[in-house]
Amino acid sequence: MSSSLRQPTRFAVFGVPMGLLTRALEKTPRPITLPYLLAQGGRPGEPATPDVILRSAKYTQQELPVRIARRVRQFYSLPFIVGTNPYIQEVARLYASSFAHLSQVKPIETLEDNDRFVEELQKLVDDHTEVVPTLSRGFLECGEYMDPEKITNFLNAALHSRIGIRIIAEQHLALSATANSARNGDKPSPARLSPTSVGIVDTAMAPADVIRQSSEYVRALCEATFEMAPEVVLEGQVDARTMGIPVHLDYVMTELLKNAYRATTETFLEQRRTGSGPSEIPPITVTLSSTPSHVSVRIRDAGGGIPPENMAHIFDYAYTTANAGGDAANGAGEDPMDVAAGAMQSTMGTLAGLGYGLPLSRLYLGYFGKSSLDLVSLWGHVRMAH
């Protein structure tokens, strides 16, 4: 084999030629804002026009490699013993492969070009579905070799970037889906086109509807785990609307309600065992409050609060109290690695996961810089507010 053929492999990062990566790193990612997504996405409730699709495709094709290249560099900067962990290597090579593949896609000039691009983009989104649980397993295995603060900084940057990458990709996929339905004479599904949506952005999102959907899902999980579940009571301005991305709110509400359902049910069962609690499981109360600038959501449960010694760690990655207190329903006595492996089968398939729910929820809410997640614990009082 000639030296010219060996050179790209010798000077490569996770299989990506260094020159290709360097050129992408010279570019700066453009900020993502909801107004920008709306301005580039066409009119609410209408299929995207060919001009909108081609403009979105160009933006997506240019922006994704720039962002993914930074993730490849970030993995390359890890300490050697951490970077060689098989799970972290798997994610690093997935990003590198995605970067190389997107960098080789020819410029999109026609709707037919976009159709092929959408197929590749959907595959990329699908391939990256398990990035979070795979990363969590990797850092669980090699956390002792890296300072906890540096791990937190790494994961904050990696997962924040992942949110942006998925917003760009899923927005273009959603716009393309509405355009293709119109082009083919099909009736768009409600998930793809609503009267107030522009791609994945809903200009008049109803938080109450999202919360009801999330609570139904978590209630089913709770009943499957404990054979009982509390009711969710919605109160306040339940007709409030705001602009946002429903799938983001759904993720956050699912994670918060998982905590509320589990804590409320476990506390009720313990009180019933000791004969010190109510006769029926208390409800979880969700209060909505709307102002011209924002909508607030408060969750209160009867889960007993969080021990003061745990409060400083609630937003730490991989921190979980799922097995605290010998809870058989959540795998008490099991090796944490086995519990993690089981939870990885689905990022939303158990009431107790890998300890990424709260920190990732905070990243989702704060992505556009206008929302926050606050948690107040009244330890021993059975009231907790998010």
Side-chain angles (χ1 to χ4, degrees), residues 29-33 36-37 40 52-67 108 117 164 167-169 171-172 367:
R30 286 175 281 181
I32 305 172
T33 66
Y36 178 82
L37 293 175
Q40 297 296 310
V52 166
I53 290 299
L54 294 178
R55 182 169 65 242
S56 175
K58 181 179 180 180
Y59 168 75
T60 303
Q61 186 180 28
Q62 292 176 346
E63 192 70 13
L64 286 185
V66 174
R67 292 172 177 269
I108 300 166
F117 179 56
I167 288 174
I168 294 170
Q171 176 72 350
H172 184 63
Y367 187 83

Side-chain angles (χ1 to χ4, degrees), residues 18-187:
M18 183 66 78
L20 187 64
L21 191 63
T22 300
R23 287 193 294 274
L25 291 171
E26 291 172 350
K27 301 175 183 178
T28 302
R30 286 175 281 181
I32 305 172
T33 66
L34 289 176
Y36 178 82
L37 293 175
L38 292 176
Q40 297 296 310
R43 298 173 63 87
E46 295 184 4
T49 65
D51 286 345
V52 166
I53 290 299
L54 294 178
R55 182 169 65 242
S56 175
K58 181 179 180 180
Y59 168 75
T60 303
Q61 186 180 28
Q62 292 176 346
E63 192 70 13
L64 286 185
V66 174
R67 292 172 177 269
I68 296 175
R70 277 159 170 71
R71 301 287 63 78
V72 177
R73 179 178 62 181
Q74 185 191 29
F75 280 100
Y76 189 64
S77 69
L78 285 170
F80 179 79
I81 194 169
V82 177
T84 56
N85 175 273
Y87 295 103
I88 294 176
Q89 276 267 321
E90 178 182 341
V91 176
R93 293 189 177 281
L94 176 61
Y95 274 103
S97 173
S98 297
F99 166 75
H101 198 75
L102 285 174
S103 298
Q104 295 169 2
V105 175
K106 70 175 186 176
I108 300 166
E109 305 291 348
T110 66
L111 293 178
E112 288 71 25
D113 291 340
N114 183 66
D115 290 341
R116 291 187 288 270
F117 179 56
V118 162
E119 291 181 5
E120 299 294 339
L121 198 59
Q122 185 62 61
K123 183 177 184 302
L124 181 148
V125 170
D126 295 341
D127 288 346
H128 284 250
T129 299
E130 295 299 314
V131 159
V132 174
T134 304
L135 267 184
S136 66
R137 181 65 183 264
F139 280 105
L140 189 63
E141 287 189 347
C142 61
E144 62 183 296
Y145 304 116
M146 193 171 173
D147 181 77
E149 184 177 352
K150 291 183 178 179
I151 291 178
T152 297
N153 292 338
F154 177 93
L155 289 172
N156 277 338
L159 298 178
H160 185 273
S161 175
R162 181 177 186 271
I163 292 172
I165 290 170
R166 292 187 72 89
I167 288 174
I168 294 170
E170 291 174 354
Q171 176 72 350
H172 184 63
L173 289 173
L175 292 174
S176 296
T178 66
N180 287 340
S181 294
R183 188 170 49 162
N184 297 329
D186 301 329
K187 183 179 179 181

